[in-house]
């Protein structure tokens, strides 16, 4: 026996000190491997749209409704199915409506409880009793287990179950029990959740989404460039802070910072009212659906402009510090001719007229320099971000549950793209004086992003933070995937050709099988059953674009969760569901509100697109967990043999 194996067996022997104990665990693990695999749920590009996110999470992208259809078939009406689904998604709100409208509340409770118990029996069937027990709500764990577990010793089981439900209703616990059952169904329908990037920006509730994810039972996150910008801001990086606040101002979501995270923007507002009071801010409109009074909206617009100028200054300074970024053409404040009112854009330096030249804090002789007032404002904002307990907790969650990519059950998940040259080879990107490409590029950028938040050494921390900004908007960043971020041009230049952000060659090559094979091989994946699940670039279904690329080998599941994209995409996003029977993309309708979904008993998914149907149902044995279990069984069987041949003694 190898020394390493011997050490493993000695550790195992402490946990399983006898032949009986080891044998029982082997039987347990072997049986688990023959259960159907749990359902995975993939969401991406949520962009702060917390109401739609919560609804999709509650309905499992149609998974709950599928279970209702499977369980009841034609035995209950379509209307009853919709009503039951709404009850499962929004139990408290639905109960409030029922109490007001239902004539015979006791009968309604009885019917609803029986139906909910039936659904729980179905959704729990693919799990071990132990796993289901761990998911049960503490207050009702014993009663639920009694209702969903077959009791062979009880002859009249129907009478037994009916009496439990009658007693629940009689003692006034039916509403609480219905809520518990509904939440348990939501919990069991989805075994694991993947967030493939971009939780933050544009929408009003990223902090609410993060609270939900922090409490979710099983989740991983692939960082999007918007997430990394917030992570950089939380680390105290001023250019990231300026980007985060500018975007919040642009979309009318400064409340996210002030109310959601408790970040004090009063010093910024005071600075803006003083310095930008008589400044032309006409090109800095705020996109908001909220009813804002004229004075508040005017302040938001001025804050929008002030933060944009601060962003362009700070980014220019950062690019000057890092010539290896090869982004000199993006130091645009230095390319302005302040006398002519023009700016030179692109490598050719073509001149374009500026729409706005009213810059009260820009010194033409040194346009990247911050004024004393701007320095003071940025230092205050930096401290506010660093000392925000809620933001820091959310960002630590992103670090603990996330990364730039994830390999899970034979699929590769990432946000953005694999940077490629025109010929399909992996593009080299210079990081700290060395060129990286392919998987190594992802790994080195993630390493520096972690050091930017956690490193004790200041130089290492500063480099990591600068690289977080590069991940957000650098032309070699895999999660950005474009040649530039044209915020400056969209604000200040009329000509639309300057607004174009040219995508990496990856997006032109992703329909080619050799491209997908090359990427999967780079990450150690082989075979036709492996897929790339990709977010970041909205799929324009309205123009006939499909999210299914390369015959289903690559799936782009951003279809416009964000309301800002829905006119462009024609839908409200794609999600992906991978069950034991296959993979399906789900296209979603625009979401009005949770209130409308409850009152109208409406769902969001409009249609399914089959990506792959498995010939044989996938089991736990076919997953990453299955590989781990097989390894455990191997060592347990070695332990069993060691007990039997006397190498180790039983306790």
């Amino acid at each position: 026996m190898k020394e390493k194996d011997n050490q493993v067996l000695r550790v195992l022997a402490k946990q399983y000190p006898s032949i009986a104990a080891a044998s029982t665990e082997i039987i347990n693990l072997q049986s688990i491997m023959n259960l159907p695999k749990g359902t995975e749920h993939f969401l991406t590009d949520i962009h702060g749209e917390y109401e739609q996110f919560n609804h999709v999470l509650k309905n499992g992208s149609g998974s709950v409704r599928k279970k209702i259809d499977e369980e009841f078939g034609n035995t209950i009406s379509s209307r009853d199915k919709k009503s039951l689904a709404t009850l499962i998604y929004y139990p408290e709100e639905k109960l409030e409506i029922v109490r007001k409208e239902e004539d015979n509340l006791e009968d309604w409770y009885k019917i609803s409880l029986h139906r909910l118990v039936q659904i729980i029996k179905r959704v729990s069937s693919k799990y071990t009793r132990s796993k289901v027990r761990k998911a049960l709500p503490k207050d009702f764990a014993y009663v639920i287990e009694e209702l969903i577990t077959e009791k062979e010793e009880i002859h009249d089981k129907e009478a037994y179950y009916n009496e439990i439900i009658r007693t629940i209703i009689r003692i006034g616990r039916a509403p609480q029990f219905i809520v518990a059952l509904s939440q348990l169904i939501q919990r069991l329908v989805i075994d694991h959740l993947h967030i493939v990037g971009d939780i933050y920006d544009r929408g009003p509730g990223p902090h609410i989404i993060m609270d939900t994810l922090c409490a979710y039972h099983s989740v991983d996150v692939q960082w999007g460039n918007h997430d990394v910008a917030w992570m950089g801001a939380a680390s105290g990086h001023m250019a990231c802070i300026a980007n985060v606040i500018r975007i919040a101002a642009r979309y009318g979501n400064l409340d996210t910072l002030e109310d959601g995270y408790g970040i004090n923007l009063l010093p910024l507002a005071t600075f803006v009212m003083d310095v930008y009071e008589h400044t032309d801010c006409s090109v800095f409109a705020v996109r908001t659906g909220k009813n804002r009074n004229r004075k508040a909206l005017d302040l938001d617009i001025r804050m929008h402009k002030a933060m944009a100028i601060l962003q362009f200054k700070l980014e220019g300074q950062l690019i000057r510090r890092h010539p290896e970024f090869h982004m000199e053409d993006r130091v645009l404040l230095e390319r302005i001719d302040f006398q002519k009112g023009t700016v030179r854009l692109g490598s050719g330096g073509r001149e374009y007229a500026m729409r706005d030249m009213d810059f009260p804090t820009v010194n033409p002789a040194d346009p990247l320099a911050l004024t004393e007032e701007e320095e003071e404002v940025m230092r205050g904002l930096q401290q506010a971000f660093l000392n925000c307990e809620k933001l820091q907790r959310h960002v630590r969650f992103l670090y603990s549950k996330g990364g730039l990519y994830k390999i899970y059950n034979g699929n590769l998940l990432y946000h953005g793209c694999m940077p490629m040259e025109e010929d399909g080879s992996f593009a080299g990107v210079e990081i700290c004086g060395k060129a990286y490409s392919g998987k190594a590029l992802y790994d080195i950028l993630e390493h520096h992003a972690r050091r930017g938040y956690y490193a004790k050494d200041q130089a290492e921390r500063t480099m990591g933070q600068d690289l977080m900004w590069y991940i957000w908007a650098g032309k070699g960043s895999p999660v950005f995937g474009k040649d530039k971020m044209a915020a400056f041009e969209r604000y200040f230049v009329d000509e639309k050709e300057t607004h174009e952000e040219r995508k990496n060659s990856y997006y032109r090559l992703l329909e080619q099988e050799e491209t997908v094979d090359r990427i999967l091989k780079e990450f150690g994946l082989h075979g036709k059953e492996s897929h790339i699940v990709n977010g970041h670039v909205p799929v324009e279904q309205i123009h006939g674009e499909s999210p299914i690329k390369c015959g289903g080998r690559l799936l782009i599941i951003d279809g416009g969760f964000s309301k800002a994209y829905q006119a462009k995409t024609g839908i409200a996003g794609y999600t992906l569901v991978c069950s034991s029977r296959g993979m399906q993309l789900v296209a979603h309708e625009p979401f009005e509100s949770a209130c409308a979904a409850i009152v109208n008993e409406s769902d969001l998914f409009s249609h399914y697109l089959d990506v792959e149907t498995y010939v044989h149902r996938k089991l736990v044995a076919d997953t990453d967990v299955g590989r781990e279990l097989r390894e455990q069984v191997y060592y347990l069987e070695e332990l069993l043999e060691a007990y039997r041949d006397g190498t180790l003694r039983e306790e």
Side-chain angles (χ1 to χ4, degrees), residues 380-430:
L381 289 169
Q382 184 183 54
Q383 288 304 307
F385 274 76
L386 285 170
N387 295 318
C388 176
E389 187 278 329
K390 186 173 185 176
L391 177 60
Q392 297 300 327
R393 175 163 45 85
H394 286 170
V395 166
R396 286 194 299 272
F397 174 85
L398 290 175
Y399 276 108
S400 67
K401 296 291 186 180
L404 285 177
Y405 67 91
K406 180 81 172 177
I407 298 167
Y408 195 97
N409 288 343
N411 296 314
L412 174 62
L413 287 58
Y414 56 68
H415 188 88
C417 71
M418 168 63 79
M420 307 187 92
E421 303 289 0
E422 286 293 322
D423 63 0
S425 61
F426 297 144
V429 179
E430 186 179 348

Side-chain angles (χ1 to χ4, degrees), residues 375-505:
E375 287 273 10
E376 185 179 350
V377 166
M378 286 309 304
R379 282 196 298 270
L381 289 169
Q382 184 183 54
Q383 288 304 307
F385 274 76
L386 285 170
N387 295 318
C388 176
E389 187 278 329
K390 186 173 185 176
L391 177 60
Q392 297 300 327
R393 175 163 45 85
H394 286 170
V395 166
R396 286 194 299 272
F397 174 85
L398 290 175
Y399 276 108
S400 67
K401 296 291 186 180
L404 285 177
Y405 67 91
K406 180 81 172 177
I407 298 167
Y408 195 97
N409 288 343
N411 296 314
L412 174 62
L413 287 58
Y414 56 68
H415 188 88
C417 71
M418 168 63 79
M420 307 187 92
E421 303 289 0
E422 286 293 322
D423 63 0
S425 61
F426 297 144
V429 179
E430 186 179 348
I431 306 294
C432 299
K434 183 179 176 182
Y436 295 86
S437 63
K439 179 177 179 292
L441 175 61
Y442 280 86
D443 289 336
I444 193 65
L445 287 174
E446 181 173 327
H447 167 77
H448 283 292
R450 293 184 183 280
R451 302 314 295 155
Y453 188 80
Y454 288 108
K456 302 299 181 186
D457 179 77
Q458 188 55 52
E460 190 179 3
R461 189 178 176 92
T462 299
M463 173 56 77
Q465 291 173 1
D466 284 355
L467 281 167
M468 278 197 267
W469 175 86
Y470 183 82
I471 293 169
W472 151 244
K475 64 180 180 180
S477 165
V479 296
F480 179 51
K482 301 176 187 176
D483 66 333
K484 67 182 180 184
M485 187 170 287
F488 184 98
E489 289 88 340
R490 286 192 292 268
Y491 286 127
F492 296 121
V493 181
D494 277 326
E495 284 80 357
K496 295 293 184 185
E497 71 266 17
T498 68
H499 302 181
E500 182 186 359
E501 298 171 341
R502 194 169 67 252
K503 296 177 187 175
N504 184 268
S505 300

Side-chain angles (χ1 to χ4, degrees), residues 263-328:
I263 291 173
N264 183 13
L265 298 181
L266 184 58
L268 173 61
T270 303
F271 162 76
V272 164
M273 287 188 289
D274 179 23
V275 176
Y276 281 81
E277 183 182 5
H278 303 295
T279 302
D280 178 9
C281 297
S282 55
V283 303
F284 287 86
V286 169
R287 302 180 186 180
T288 179
K290 303 169 188 171
N291 293 320
R292 305 277 284 175
N293 63 57
R294 184 64 246 178
K295 188 174 180 180
L297 185 59
D298 184 64
L299 178 60
D300 284 358
I301 290 169
R302 296 182 190 284
M303 291 170 76
H304 183 191
K305 181 170 185 176
M307 291 314 302
I309 300 304
L310 275 163
Q311 174 189 322
F312 299 138
K313 287 184 177 185
L314 291 163
E315 289 180 338
Q317 293 175 14
L318 188 155
I319 293 167
R320 286 280 174 250
R321 291 197 301 273
H322 294 282
E324 74 275 16
F325 289 175
H326 304 292
M327 295 177 67
E328 295 81 3

Side-chain angles (χ1 to χ4, degrees), residues 74 91 101 132 166 169 303 323 396 421 438 464 482 569 574 643 650:
N74 295 320
E101 297 180 352
V132 173
R166 271 197 297 269
I169 296 168
M303 291 170 76
R396 286 194 299 272
E421 303 289 0
K482 301 176 187 176
T569 61
Y574 288 100
Y643 283 144
E650 293 184 80

